[in-house]
């Protein structure tokens, strides 16, 4: 009787995500910054059409006033607090500029500035909260309780936090390991992708190390605890992410650093323009008007807008093409990178094992499809990742599977089932082969597959080897081109940082053209590798996807996570996300960032020419206030429109071409 191939949960679906931390999400409106920004935005959107349609000022004026208050009080208060520390905060200057605009009749412009800054602050607060959510959620990977074996042989259930070094715990099939330790007895396969990033479960037997939070397979293990819960690898990942996020140098746009000095100079100059003529006998009203005009034409608004439109346009363009860049600061930093570190599983590869080779043995009288159908029928009841790969391959080949009976699974060995009345075994060649001639031939084929970086799976029929399957994590189609493009953009070859075994890492690195390979790394080892490069003066871009990549993503100059394959922690920790897992977009967004920086320089030149000309006119002659406002607004419009050129499709096309050079 044939069985129907039931569709299994896709990797990344809820059912397939047992290995991920429970998702914690701070609601947007739970943040006060978001509530105030939303209120200011709503008030502005109500007032704007009323003003534009000619409604009386009493209808829209109070709404604008409320928008100023709701959106501006927090940055104003923060700015005043910074002023106490003798720091002129940019947000405070924006509030002053907005109030100055309102004072000369540009109420709508000032309200728009308030809304933009309030929204920016809300997004920053949300990003911080979401990162904290993911870090806290990571701790949920470790089970809340564990089963301790007492000296008299009885079992005791207790919180994992109470486990002490030297305790012996029992890990049943399907349970998570409660503490870092070493196997005393038993055999199983443990999914430790959250720690090492390895795509396949790792066989564990007496003497092997296991980690808290990793998922046990079908066997039972007795484990001796070797580390306290606070010192486990999973706890250290949390600590490293938090430490890297807190100690990473405060990020500022380049223009914000310049603007600190510029704004102080502008304030001093405005006071001088007012006080000096007044001291020399000029009229108070004339001196005040001249000083007010000077403050308007020399205000930092045009300088800020010289920077933001190109960066925000680049962010929007990248978003349309599947790259989520989380802030203007990140977009600017992307163009500064001069070294790249890449993860292997789920980043350069798809992160899902697939059948790559089907090798019937001579004399078996089986075709490739018949061998695959036989193996898939036996593996169909199994939930092992290799079994899923075999069944998925049979589905791809549209094969009909016979019903499997008497199914059994032996950890570390394989599965056995009766298919059409014959015994079929699928498993590890080293555990199933003996000294027969058929076994010698099968061993030769298995060795060839393993030398090519495949996992060899033996299929026997009534105890006789009939063929082997090669299973591997498939390389992404654009991986090699991306490595070449990133090497060209940075001038240095990328480095591969992976927790996978050295042989698999070396094989993949050879395929994509990477020569610097560092394999078998734990999360802290990846952070060390990144810090070594940063200590040498490099600005490192880290590209990864897993929980084990999160500390390196946080420690790097810039971190990018793969969106579909990425864990919650990696997605929240990273500065940017490749939403559709298209590696080719990474060099493109780096090139786009560099183009955006070029546009910023153009805009700063334009803004400085306008500011200089208008300020000199106001100081040397008499610049009418309306003309000063017109010149100021005109420069703002010009730099804004220039920056919006990066929204065009041609901008991404050019960036992609530069990324492929």
């Amino acid at each position: 009787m044939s069985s129907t191939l039931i569709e299994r949960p896709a990797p990344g679906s809820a059912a397939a995500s047992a290995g991920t931390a429970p998702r914690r999400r701070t609601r947007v409106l739970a943040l006060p910054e978001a509530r105030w920004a939303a209120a200011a935005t709503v008030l502005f959107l109500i007032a704007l059409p009323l003003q534009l349609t000619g409604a009386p000022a009493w209808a829209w004026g109070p709404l604008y006033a409320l928008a100023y208050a709701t959106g501006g009080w927090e940055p104003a208060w923060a700015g005043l607090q910074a002023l106490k520390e003798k720091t002129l905060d940019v947000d405070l200057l924006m509030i002053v500029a907005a109030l100055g605009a309102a004072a000369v009749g540009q109420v709508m412009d000032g309200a728009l500035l308030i809304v933009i800054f309030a929204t920016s602050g809300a997004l920053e607060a949300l990003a911080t909260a979401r990162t904290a959510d993911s870090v806290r959620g990571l701790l949920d990977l470790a089970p809340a309780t564990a089963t301790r074996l007492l000296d008299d042989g009885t079992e005791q259930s207790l919180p994992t936090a109470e486990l002490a070094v030297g305790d012996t715990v029992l890990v049943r099939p399907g349970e998570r390991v409660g503490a870092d330790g070493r196997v005393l007895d038993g055999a199983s396969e443990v999914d430790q992708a959250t720690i090492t990033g390895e795509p396949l479960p790792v066989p564990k037997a007496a003497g092997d190390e296991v980690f808290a939070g990793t998922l046990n397979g079908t066997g039972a293990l007795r484990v001796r605890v070797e580390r306290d819960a606070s010192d486990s690898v999973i706890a250290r990942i949390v600590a490293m992410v938090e430490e890297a996020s807190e100690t990473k140098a405060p990020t500022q746009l380049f223009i914000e650093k310049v603007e600190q000095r510029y704004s102080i100079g502008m304030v001093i100059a405005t006071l001088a323009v007012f006080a000096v003529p007044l001291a020399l006998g000029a009229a108070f009203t004339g001196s005040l008007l001249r000083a007010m005009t000077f403050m308007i034409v020399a205000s930092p608004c045009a300088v800020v807008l010289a920077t933001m439109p190109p960066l925000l346009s680049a962010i929007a363009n990248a978003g349309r093409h599947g790259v989520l860049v989380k802030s203007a600061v990140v977009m600017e930093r992307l163009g500064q990178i001069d070294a790249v570190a890449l993860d292997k599983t789920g980043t350069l590869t798809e992160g899902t094992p697939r059948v790559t080779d089907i090798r019937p043995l001579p004399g078996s009288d089986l075709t490739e499809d018949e061998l695959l159908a036989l193996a898939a029928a036996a593996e169909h009841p199994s939930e092992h990742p290799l079994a899923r790969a075999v069944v998925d391959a049979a589905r791809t080949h549209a094969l009909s599977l016979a019903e499997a009976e008497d199914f059994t699974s032996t950890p570390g060995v394989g599965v056995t089932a009766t298919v059409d009345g014959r015994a079929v075994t699928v498993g590890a060649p080293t555990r199933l082969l003996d000294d027969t001639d058929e076994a010698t031939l099968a061993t030769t084929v298995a060795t060839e597959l393993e030398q090519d970086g495949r996992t060899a799976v033996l299929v026997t029929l009534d105890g006789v080897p009939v063929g082997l399957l090669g299973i591997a994590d498939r390389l992404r189609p654009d991986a090699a081109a991306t490595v070449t493009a990133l090497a060209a953009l940075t001038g240095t070859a990328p480095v591969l940082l992976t927790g996978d075994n050295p042989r698999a890492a070396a094989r993949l690195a050879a395929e994509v053209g990477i020569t610097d390979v560092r394999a078998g790394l734990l999360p802290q080892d990846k952070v060390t590798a990144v810090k070594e490069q940063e200590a040498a003066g490099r600005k490192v871009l880290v590209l990864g996807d897993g929980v084990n990549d999160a500390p390196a993503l946080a420690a790097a100059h810039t971190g990018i996570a793969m969106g579909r394959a990425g864990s919650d922690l990696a997605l929240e920790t990273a500065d940017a996300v490749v939403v559709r897992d298209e590696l080719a977009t990474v060099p493109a967004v780096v090139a786009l960032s560099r183009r955006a920086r070029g546009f910023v320089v153009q805009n700063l030149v334009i803004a400085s020419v306008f500011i200089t000309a208008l300020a000199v006119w106001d100081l040397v002659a008499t610049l009418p206030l309306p003309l000063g406002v017109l010149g100021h607004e005109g420069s703002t419009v010009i730099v804004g429109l220039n920056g919006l050129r990066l929204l065009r499709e041609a901008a991404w096309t050019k960036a992609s071409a530069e990324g492929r050079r």
Side-chain angles (χ1 to χ4, degrees):
M1 181 174 63
S2 297
S3 65
T4 302
L5 288 177
I6 301 172
E7 190 73 27
R8 299 182 188 273
S13 68
S17 299
T20 61
R23 192 170 182 82
R24 301 168 180 256
R25 299 285 284 182
T26 296
R27 291 181 297 108
V28 175
L29 293 181
L31 300 171
E33 296 91 344
R35 293 197 295 270
W36 289 117
T41 302
V42 169
L43 291 166
F44 176 80
L45 292 177
I46 296 174
L48 181 61
L50 292 175
Q51 181 187 16
L52 296 179
T53 54
W58 60 262
W60 47 264
L63 294 173
Y64 277 138
L66 287 173
Y68 274 73
T70 54
W73 80 268
E74 277 196 323
W77 178 253
L80 291 173
Q81 295 297 111
L83 205 57
K84 290 182 180 180
E85 304 296 327
K86 299 180 181 180
T87 300
L88 191 57
D89 189 85
V90 174
D91 287 354
L92 179 60
L93 291 173
M94 288 301 97
I95 297 298
V96 172
L99 294 175
V104 297
Q106 305 296 319
V107 179
M108 186 270 286
D109 292 347
L112 178 59
L113 198 60
I114 291 287
V115 168
I116 290 173
F117 270 78
T119 303
S120 175
L123 291 175
E124 183 179 349
L126 180 62
T128 301
R130 289 285 169 83
T131 300
D133 289 343
S134 292
V135 171
R136 289 194 300 270
L138 180 60
L139 290 172
D140 292 336
L141 281 173
T145 61
T147 301
R148 181 166 61 186
L149 298 177
L150 303 179
D151 293 338
D152 59 4
T154 59
E155 299 178 2
Q156 177 190 22
S157 180
L158 77 167
T160 52
E162 296 181 11
L163 290 173
V165 174
D167 284 347
T168 300
V169 296
L170 174 65
V171 185
R172 293 184 171 89
E175 290 185 346
R176 290 193 176 276
V177 180
D180 286 6
R182 198 164 298 277
V183 177
L184 294 176
D185 185 38
S188 186
E189 291 178 325
V190 177
D191 180 355
Q192 52 188 39
T194 53
I195 303 298
T196 65
E198 292 172 283
L200 300 174
V202 179
K204 297 291 183 181
D208 292 333
E209 186 177 21
V210 292
F211 304 108
T214 54
L215 186 63
N216 186 27
T218 56
L221 299 173
R222 287 197 305 121
V223 176
R224 182 180 64 246
V225 178
E226 293 189 342
R227 295 191 191 97
D228 290 329
S230 59
D231 194 38
S232 68
V233 171
I234 204 77
R236 279 183 282 167
I237 291 176
V238 173
M240 284 188 291
V241 172
E242 291 177 335
E243 180 183 358
S245 299
E246 291 171 1
T247 59
K248 201 171 185 177
T251 54
Q252 281 186 304
L253 291 171
F254 166 75
I255 194 59
E256 290 177 345
K257 301 173 185 177
V258 174
E259 193 180 11
Q260 288 280 340
R261 299 177 178 83
Y262 173 83
S263 299
I264 293 173
M266 186 204 73
V267 171
I268 295 172
T270 300
L271 293 175
V273 169
F274 171 67
V276 171
L278 191 64
L280 296 176
F284 177 84
T285 303
S287 298
L288 180 61
L289 187 60
R290 182 186 294 271
M292 195 70 179
T293 303
F294 180 85
M295 186 188 76
I296 293 297
V297 300
S299 74
C301 296
V303 178
V304 170
L305 290 174
T307 302
M308 295 306 289
L311 296 174
L312 294 178
S313 297
I315 289 173
N317 202 336
R320 288 204 310 267
H321 292 87
V323 183
L324 172 62
V325 180
K326 294 185 179 180
S327 71
V329 172
V330 174
M331 179 55 76
E332 186 178 60
R333 289 168 68 92
L334 273 168
Q336 300 169 357
I337 61 114
D338 57 10
V340 179
L342 299 164
D343 174 50
K344 172 185 166 288
T345 305
T347 302
L348 290 176
T349 69
E350 295 177 349
T352 304
R354 298 180 185 273
V355 174
T356 57
D357 301 83
I358 305 173
R359 305 278 290 273
L361 291 177
S364 67
D365 296 327
L366 294 177
T367 65
E368 290 187 358
D369 280 354
E370 288 171 342
L371 176 63
L372 179 60
L374 200 63
E379 292 275 29
H380 191 255
S382 174
E383 287 298 319
H384 192 284
L386 292 182
R388 291 199 293 268
V390 173
V391 175
D392 287 344
R395 184 184 298 118
T396 301
H397 285 71
L399 301 179
S400 178
L401 303 187
E403 189 73 26
E405 300 175 346
D406 302 323
F407 173 85
T408 59
S409 175
T410 305
V413 178
V415 302
T416 300
T418 301
V419 179
D420 288 336
R422 306 185 70 179
V424 178
T425 301
V426 184
T430 54
R431 302 295 180 91
L432 298 176
L433 292 175
D434 50 28
D435 296 329
T436 63
D437 292 339
E438 293 91 344
T440 301
L441 179 58
T443 300
T444 301
V445 176
T447 302
E448 291 175 0
L449 291 172
E450 290 172 352
Q451 286 176 344
D452 289 337
R454 313 289 197 250
T455 296
V457 176
L458 177 70
V459 182
T460 71
L461 188 61
D462 293 330
V464 178
V466 292
L468 289 102
L469 304 178
I471 299 178
D473 188 5
R474 192 162 63 185
L475 191 69
R476 294 189 188 277
D478 48 0
T482 298
V483 169
T484 302
L486 289 172
L489 282 170
T490 61
T492 56
V495 58
L496 181 64
L497 305 179
T498 178
D500 210 345
N501 67 79
R503 185 171 58 188
R507 179 191 63 81
L508 179 133
E511 289 187 43
V512 298
I514 295 177
T515 56
D516 189 352
V517 181
R518 307 182 193 184
L521 302 183
L522 290 175
Q524 59 265 35
D525 301 322
K526 293 188 177 185
V527 172
T528 300
V530 171
K531 288 184 175 179
E532 284 175 358
Q533 292 205 53
E534 301 243 334
R538 296 288 188 182
K539 294 179 178 177
V540 183
L541 167 67
V542 171
L543 187 58
D545 72 298
V547 168
N548 59 316
D549 299 318
L553 289 169
H557 179 268
T558 309
I560 298 181
M562 306 299 287
R564 289 178 179 171
S567 66
D568 287 349
L569 184 64
L571 295 178
E572 300 295 351
T573 303
D575 300 304
V577 176
V578 181
V579 179
R580 296 192 289 266
D581 284 4
E582 296 173 346
L583 278 176
T585 59
V586 175
V589 78
V590 172
L592 184 66
S593 170
R594 294 180 178 179
R595 287 179 59 80
R597 286 167 63 85
F599 274 66
V600 168
V601 173
Q602 292 177 18
N603 282 350
L604 288 175
V605 172
I606 294 170
S608 63
V609 168
F610 269 87
I611 289 173
T612 301
L614 293 173
V616 170
W617 186 351
D618 185 54
L619 294 174
V620 174
T622 300
L623 175 64
L625 181 59
L627 188 58
V629 172
L630 181 63
H632 175 263
E633 295 299 320
S635 66
T636 300
V637 170
I638 290 173
V639 299
L641 291 177
N642 187 47
L644 293 178
R645 290 164 55 200
L646 284 177
L647 281 172
R648 298 182 301 175
E649 184 66 24
W652 181 263
T653 302
K654 290 180 181 179
S656 298
E658 291 175 11
R660 290 194 296 268
R661 287 177 187 172

